[in-house]
Amino acid sequence: MQQTTQFNQYGKDLREMLILRYEPIAIKMIRSEAEIPEGAVDPRKDKGEHLAFCQALAMTRRDKKTVYMDKYSHWCWNPLIGLGLVECKEGSDSFEVVCRNLGMADLDAARKFFAKFPRLQYGEYIGTVTAPLSECTFEPDLVLIYANNAQLRSMLWAVKYMTGDIVKTQMDAIDSCIYSCVPPMLGREYRVTIPDPGEYERGCADENEIIFSVPSERVGELVKGLEFFRSIKLGYADFSKEMKFNFARPPFYNELYALWGLDEGEVWEK
């Protein structure tokens, strides 16, 4: 419970420091029904409805709902495969159906592409639970943050400060539900993902939103980096637009300019 409480605090800290419009999402892969939190919405059992996984994510971040989805609730094929809920082996009938419908000009290229598509091991999990990070009653496997570009910039800066490295990611126009979840779960690395057309049309993602994936054990690292920049008045909320020439700069600018024989100027005070 103490660990869960810490994640709840991280959720509050992230929303406060980044002024997030919506809740960071805690995601847990479920191995048995005993792990399903009390009060979680099961779309098919409770409402007689089917959802796309991106719609469950939207219900969590926008409406603060805890949502459980097993394979019977999914209304989109890709999460079923990517989350390991159904089998889709290379060479099988289902594999061929997918490859014919990937929107790629060459079928052989589609087969090679989908053979490498990220997926969790088939049969390892029975479903997923999503909940607001600030309210979740479980330890998540992954946290998703839907942010605007400026908020993402602050998070990338915080990660670079804490790790000494930049976030490395791959971009695709579709399948954001899988790219934002499966590679970070497998590799335990941060990732940036563009919401795909399905998330835009059915999952209520805005055109200026982008997804930042944070493995659960790295949430504290991200929060600590954000707190550092806030402490030196370079946090997300500290920036404001200006068009001023000869603007004040950090002291090390003058140090460099003196070494290069260039004009020095006013030093900022923050």
Side-chain angles (χ1 to χ4, degrees):
M1 180 59 71
Q2 184 177 0
Q3 183 72 3
T4 301
T5 303
Q6 181 63 74
F7 279 112
N8 297 156
Q9 186 59 52
Y10 287 152
K12 296 172 185 175
D13 292 341
L14 288 167
R15 194 157 189 195
E16 176 193 352
M17 286 189 287
L18 294 168
I19 316 180
L20 295 170
R21 183 176 182 184
Y22 300 119
E23 293 282 343
I25 303 169
I27 300 178
K28 182 176 177 62
M29 300 304 302
I30 299 296
R31 288 186 167 90
S32 72
E33 291 188 356
E35 297 179 276
I36 303 172
E38 184 177 352
V41 176
D42 183 323
R44 187 166 173 270
K45 286 184 178 179
D46 297 340
K47 297 180 177 297
E49 302 281 0
H50 301 85
L51 304 178
F53 186 49
C54 61
Q55 292 177 307
L57 297 175
M59 287 174 63
T60 294
R61 75 177 185 276
R62 297 170 69 94
D63 301 328
K64 300 185 179 183
K65 300 290 187 182
T66 297
V67 183
Y68 169 66
M69 290 189 73
D70 60 14
K71 66 181 180 180
Y72 302 105
S73 291
H74 281 268
W75 208 235
C76 185
W77 63 271
N78 201 313
L80 287 166
I81 298 171
L83 296 174
L85 302 180
V86 299
E87 194 167 25
C88 188
K89 291 183 178 179
E90 188 173 0
S92 67
D93 290 343
S94 60
F95 185 91
E96 288 300 309
V97 171
V98 169
C99 293
R100 290 197 302 269
N101 290 277
L102 281 180
M104 301 178 73
D106 183 88
L107 184 55
D108 285 336
R111 292 187 180 110
K112 291 178 182 177
F113 175 86
F114 197 62
K116 298 183 293 185
F117 196 75
R119 65 192 77 190
L120 301 179
Q121 184 173 339
Y122 167 63
E124 186 171 356
Y125 303 104
I126 64 168
T128 58
V129 170
T130 61
L133 183 61
S134 62
E135 301 175 6
C136 66
T137 58
F138 54 83
E139 294 185 26
D141 295 307
L142 184 72
V143 172
L144 298 185
I145 302 171
Y146 282 67
N148 62 39
N149 289 334
Q151 291 162 337
L152 174 63
R153 177 184 62 204
S154 290
M155 289 187 284
L156 295 176
W157 205 4
V159 171
K160 184 179 178 181
Y161 169 75
M162 293 296 296
T163 67
D165 201 359
I166 61 174
V167 172
K168 301 173 182 65
T169 196
Q170 294 174 307
M171 294 292 186
D172 198 349
I174 60 173
D175 303 326
S176 56
C177 57
I178 295 306
Y179 283 122
S180 64
C181 292
V182 177
M185 286 185 185
L186 294 174
R188 312 313 296 171
E189 295 290 345
Y190 298 99
R191 186 182 178 96
V192 179
T193 306
I194 300 171
D196 70 11
E199 287 221 45
Y200 175 72
E201 291 185 329
R202 293 178 290 277
C204 303
D206 295 329
E207 288 187 344
N208 67 343
E209 279 188 307
I210 198 159
I211 308 167
F212 193 53
S213 304
V214 188
S216 56
E217 70 274 14
R218 309 197 74 169
V219 178
E221 176 181 77
L222 173 63
V223 169
K224 188 174 181 180
L226 290 169
E227 287 174 339
F228 167 75
F229 283 105
R230 181 170 66 172
S231 73
I232 62 171
K233 305 300 182 183
L234 287 176
Y236 171 74
D238 295 301
F239 288 104
S240 59
K241 295 180 181 179
E242 64 175 15
M243 181 62 73
K244 180 181 179 183
F245 305 133
N246 289 339
F247 47 86
R249 303 172 301 176
F252 79 89
Y253 275 57
N254 280 343
E255 184 179 353
L256 286 174
Y257 273 51
L259 292 171
W260 294 330
L262 300 175
D263 296 338
E264 299 175 46
E266 180 184 354
V267 174
W268 72 9
E269 294 182 6
K270 285 224 173 190

